[in-house]
Amino acid sequence: MIKRILFLTLLVFSTVAFSQIVRTEKPDSISHWKKVNKVGIDFTQITFVNWSAGGNNSISGLAKGQFIRNYLNDNKKWDNELIVRYGINKQESQDVRKTDDQINLNSTLGYRRDTISNWYYGGKFSFLTQFANGYSYPNVDQAISKPFAPAYIFLGIGAEYSRKDLGFNIYLSPLTQKTTLVLDRRLSNSGAFGVDKAIYDETGTIILKNGKRHRTELGALINSQYKTKIMTNINLDTRATLYTDYLKDFGNIDVDWQLRLEMVVNKYVRANIGTHLLYDNDIKNKREVDGVQITEGPRVQWKQILGIGLEYTF
């Protein structure tokens, strides 16, 4: 377990190097870049000794990083953000299980007509995938997701209303392309994450045509973020993304909503409470029934995280 925790820590700092982090300098009259780097690791641990009510000893670790590179010069701005997260949990009598896994890159380019306007016009790019295989535990024989299976790419044009003084921005795009990648052949052949599945012969054993490894949609996107200090040393950060496809099931909305409360203990110690809600009509629910993995219709996905740990900003 200690080796895995060390791996998580090394993962964060290697991501720092990958994102070409440079020394953060004080703002001056020359640089128009704002650079923020945050790396941290959260821990949760429970131990029982002669506990009459019973329970399983457990330990969890979550490595995380956030790297921001924002450019602002008169009427032009370019916002970039990389978020990486990887978490694991080890319970007594169970193997190590993954609890969180995310690689998320966002880039927004905008231009406004004058320096007093809060409206920017331009484009937005987003990329989302994961580091490691995902499983429907306790079944660890077949992965239900893998790196780049899926991966999501959003690319579109639109307008953004940004109020730095209020910590609020909303991006509206009437034209955004969403590409879903499923680069694992077994998952693509099964039609996972909405791609066209393989075509089999009459016996159902020989593949006549492999499943597609990608799916392209064209639709409308709304993306918003709100950050504020709700109490002394308590910060709120909530983000929401809504997407609907024009070409298929228009009005059926994909939802991605994250909410995080950060409680600042001191310069380095933070406590975090977070929730993450997802709904995508193309993601089918998988669960175990009598040792057999079955696939059902789409479900609302919800995750809650509570942790305390160390965070370093530079």
Side-chain angles (χ1 to χ4, degrees):
M1 187 62 190
I2 294 176
K3 291 182 179 180
R4 292 182 178 271
I5 298 298
L6 290 174
F7 168 75
L8 294 178
T9 306
L10 291 173
L11 178 64
V12 168
F13 284 98
S14 65
T15 307
V16 174
F18 174 76
S19 62
Q20 298 180 346
I21 290 174
V22 298
R23 180 181 300 173
T24 302
E25 300 176 352
K26 293 181 179 180
D28 54 42
S29 58
I30 299 175
S31 177
H32 299 284
W33 286 93
K34 175 185 177 182
K35 307 179 183 72
V36 178
N37 310 294
K38 295 181 180 180
V39 293
I41 185 164
D42 293 344
F43 290 100
T44 303
Q45 187 264 340
I46 302 175
T47 301
F48 299 93
V49 178
N50 300 323
W51 194 254
S52 61
N56 291 327
N57 299 337
S58 69
I59 183 171
S60 299
L62 171 65
K64 57 187 179 180
Q66 181 184 30
F67 313 104
I68 297 173
R69 295 293 183 271
N70 292 343
Y71 175 84
L72 178 62
N73 183 12
D74 294 332
N75 300 338
K76 302 178 291 293
K77 79 165 190 170
W78 184 22
D79 294 341
N80 302 277
E81 180 185 42
L82 173 65
I83 298 173
V84 292
R85 298 170 63 90
Y86 189 79
I88 57 174
N89 172 266
K90 176 67 174 72
Q91 286 193 16
E92 189 177 4
S93 74
Q94 288 185 350
D95 294 331
V96 174
R97 296 185 176 185
K98 183 174 70 171
T99 58
D100 203 344
D101 191 358
Q102 182 181 11
I103 304 172
N104 190 3
L105 174 64
N106 299 294
S107 183
T108 305
L109 185 66
Y111 177 83
R112 59 182 175 179
R113 292 175 295 178
D114 53 63
T115 56
I116 62 173
S117 175
N118 294 312
W119 281 99
Y120 291 85
Y121 305 93
K124 185 177 183 68
F125 168 83
S126 296
F127 172 80
L128 177 66
T129 190
Q130 61 194 54
F131 286 104
N133 293 352
Y135 297 93
S136 178
Y137 297 109
N139 185 334
V140 293
D141 296 327
Q142 286 192 341
I144 61 173
S145 65
K146 293 184 176 183
F148 289 90
Y152 299 101
I153 300 173
F154 292 88
L155 180 61
I157 56 173
E160 181 183 46
Y161 180 77
S162 178
R163 290 288 303 270
K164 297 295 183 183
D165 56 328
L166 300 178
F168 173 77
N169 68 74
I170 183 168
Y171 173 80
L172 308 172
S173 172
L175 196 64
T176 292
Q177 176 180 294
K178 176 185 177 182
T179 301
T180 303
L181 302 177
V182 184
L183 300 188
D184 179 77
R185 177 58 70 191
R186 180 182 61 81
L187 291 173
S188 65
N189 282 344
S190 69
F193 306 103
V195 299
D196 293 341
K197 62 182 180 180
I199 299 175
Y200 293 83
D201 65 0
E202 295 179 354
T203 64
T205 57
I206 300 177
I207 298 177
L208 302 178
K209 182 179 180 181
N210 282 316
K212 286 191 175 182
R213 294 192 176 188
H214 65 88
R215 179 172 184 256
T216 301
E217 302 171 71
L218 186 65
L221 173 73
I222 299 176
N223 182 273
S224 66
Q225 181 179 13
Y226 178 58
K227 299 174 65 176
T228 187
K229 178 179 289 187
I230 59 176
M231 294 180 65
T232 302
N233 294 339
I234 300 180
N235 303 316
L236 170 70
D237 184 352
T238 182
R239 309 175 183 215
T241 299
L242 307 176
Y243 182 82
T244 185
D245 182 19
Y246 290 137
L247 306 179
K248 181 182 178 182
D249 297 330
F250 177 70
N252 193 335
I253 300 174
D254 297 341
V255 180
D256 186 338
W257 177 34
Q258 300 182 59
L259 185 146
R260 185 170 69 94
L261 282 174
E262 179 187 63
M263 290 160 282
V264 181
V265 179
N266 58 39
K267 184 178 179 180
Y268 299 108
V269 180
R270 303 284 193 275
N272 297 281
I273 301 175
T275 64
H276 193 174
L277 184 146
L278 285 172
Y279 178 80
D280 189 331
N281 192 59
D282 298 315
I283 299 179
K284 309 306 180 184
N285 184 60
K286 297 181 184 293
R287 63 186 181 95
E288 288 281 323
V289 177
D290 297 328
V292 179
Q293 188 178 100
I294 65 171
T295 301
E296 302 175 319
R299 296 287 189 273
V300 173
Q301 306 171 58
W302 188 78
K303 177 172 62 178
Q304 184 268 325
I305 300 173
L306 171 62
I308 185 169
L310 303 175
E311 183 176 277
Y312 179 59
T313 302
F314 57 102

